């Protein structure tokens, strides 16, 4: 059976969404990042980047959430656009847009707003601005069509949903005000039964809640290891 290594973070949740939507059976294995599970040798053998999620499907190992979504969609033939060069180009472009832009800038925005030991106005503004800019691009696209690739619900929408549903955490309580089209899609996906199941996956395991010194060392290595 396929194994999903997960936490309650955005990236594992969107993979769980695909698994629930597709009906693929899977074994959910928690990786408690605040306890440092991601740095254990047995997990590093699966994901050398020490992040979640990762999957093991027989003799296949895939890490990075976008790569996993692509792998699972191609494996099952589900939640993909039409088989044309144009659609393939759009699929890849928007999948990598989430990987290289939406996810990193959203994550850094949360980090500097909530977890950085110093509240640095420049860093907070920089990452919030870029996160907002990326969400604005998504919102403009969704003003013209129902889903990211047109009228069909695909893995691109799942990829976007993983992060966009957390806009209030990323940009603050008024974060949704500028993105009505994105909110419309996120709300629709969040109401799906598969999304409801994916969102409760984190409740299967009692993850460490405290952001104490142990958690900071496990999650933010730069605080204890000087690079230069």
């Amino acid at each position: 059976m396929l194994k999903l290594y997960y936490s309650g973070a955005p990236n594992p949740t969107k993979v769980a969404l695909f698994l629930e939507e597709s009906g693929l059976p899977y074994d959910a294995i928690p990786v408690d990042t605040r306890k440092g599970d991601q740095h254990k040798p047995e997990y590093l053998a699966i994901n050398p980047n020490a992040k979640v999620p990762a999957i093991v499907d027989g003799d296949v190992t895939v890490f990075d959430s976008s790569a996993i979504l692509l792998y699972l969609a191609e494996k099952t033939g589900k939640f993909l656009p039409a088989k044309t060069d144009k659609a393939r180009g759009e699929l890849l472009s928007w999948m990598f847009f989430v990987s290289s832009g939406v996810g990193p800038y959203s994550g850094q925005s949360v980090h500097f707003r909530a977890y950085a030991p110093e509240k640095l106005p420049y860093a907070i503004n920089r990452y919030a601005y870029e996160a907002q800019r990326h969400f604005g691009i998504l919102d403009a696209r969704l003003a013209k069509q129902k889903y990211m690739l047109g009228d069909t619900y695909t893995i691109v929408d799942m990829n976007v949903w993983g992060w966009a549903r957390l806009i209030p955490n990323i940009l603050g309580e008024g974060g949704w005000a500028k993105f009505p089209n994105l909110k419309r899609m996120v709300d629709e996906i969040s109401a799906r039964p598969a999304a409801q199941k994916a969102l409760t996956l984190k409740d299967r395991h009692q993850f460490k809640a405290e952001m104490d010194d142990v958690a900071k060392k496990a999650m933010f290595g730069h605080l204890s290891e000087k690079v230069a």
Side-chain angles (χ1 to χ4, degrees):
M1 183 182 294
L2 184 148
K3 296 178 180 178
L4 167 65
Y5 293 83
Y6 78 99
S7 69
N11 288 329
T13 304
K14 60 195 180 188
V15 173
L17 172 61
F18 181 94
L19 291 169
E20 294 294 345
E21 291 279 22
S22 65
L24 271 176
Y26 67 98
D27 185 15
I29 302 171
V31 179
D32 202 325
T33 56
R34 294 192 181 188
K35 290 182 178 179
D37 287 355
Q38 71 275 31
H39 300 299
K40 292 179 178 178
E42 56 268 31
Y43 186 70
L44 289 174
I46 297 167
N47 186 347
N49 193 34
K51 303 290 184 182
V52 282
I55 63 167
V56 175
D57 184 21
D59 62 352
V60 176
T61 299
V62 189
F63 61 89
D64 182 90
S65 58
S66 288
I68 294 170
L69 288 172
L70 280 166
Y71 170 81
L72 292 173
E74 291 175 351
K75 173 187 173 74
T76 61
K78 295 181 177 180
F79 303 107
L80 290 168
K83 293 182 179 181
T84 66
D85 289 344
K86 181 179 184 295
R88 179 70 173 172
E90 291 183 346
L91 170 72
L92 293 174
S93 296
W94 289 107
M95 289 296 285
F96 282 90
F97 177 79
V98 175
S99 288
S100 65
V102 175
Y105 283 107
S106 295
Q108 291 300 322
S109 182
V110 171
H111 176 79
F112 282 104
R113 283 169 55 87
Y115 299 117
E118 298 177 64
K119 300 304 179 191
L120 303 172
Y122 176 83
I124 293 170
N125 183 63
R126 159 72 175 165
Y127 288 107
Y129 174 85
E130 283 297 318
Q132 181 172 279
R133 185 178 71 83
H134 282 78
F135 287 128
I137 293 169
L138 296 173
D139 190 75
R141 175 113 175 145
L142 291 167
K144 303 172 185 177
Q145 53 200 41
K146 185 175 183 181
Y147 297 113
M148 287 299 299
L149 300 186
D151 294 328
T152 304
Y153 174 48
T154 70
I155 55 172
V156 176
D157 307 302
M158 298 179 193
N159 212 3
V160 168
W161 172 83
W163 282 102
R165 66 188 179 83
L166 298 174
I167 279 178
N169 302 79
I170 297 164
L171 299 176
E173 287 304 317
W176 276 123
K178 295 182 178 180
F179 314 115
N181 306 297
L182 182 55
K183 189 173 190 305
R184 181 260 307 159
M185 189 190 78
V186 167
D187 286 348
E188 178 188 319
I189 295 174
S190 294
R192 296 174 70 91
Q196 294 297 308
K197 291 180 181 178
L199 289 169
T200 61
L201 179 62
K202 66 182 186 303
D203 300 328
R204 297 186 191 180
H205 175 79
Q206 189 172 351
F207 288 97
K208 178 181 174 70
E210 301 79 17
M211 184 55 78
D212 54 17
D213 289 342
V214 173
K216 289 177 182 177
K217 184 176 180 180
M219 297 180 69
F220 312 132
H222 64 283
L223 294 178
S224 58
E225 296 181 19
K226 195 171 183 179
V227 176

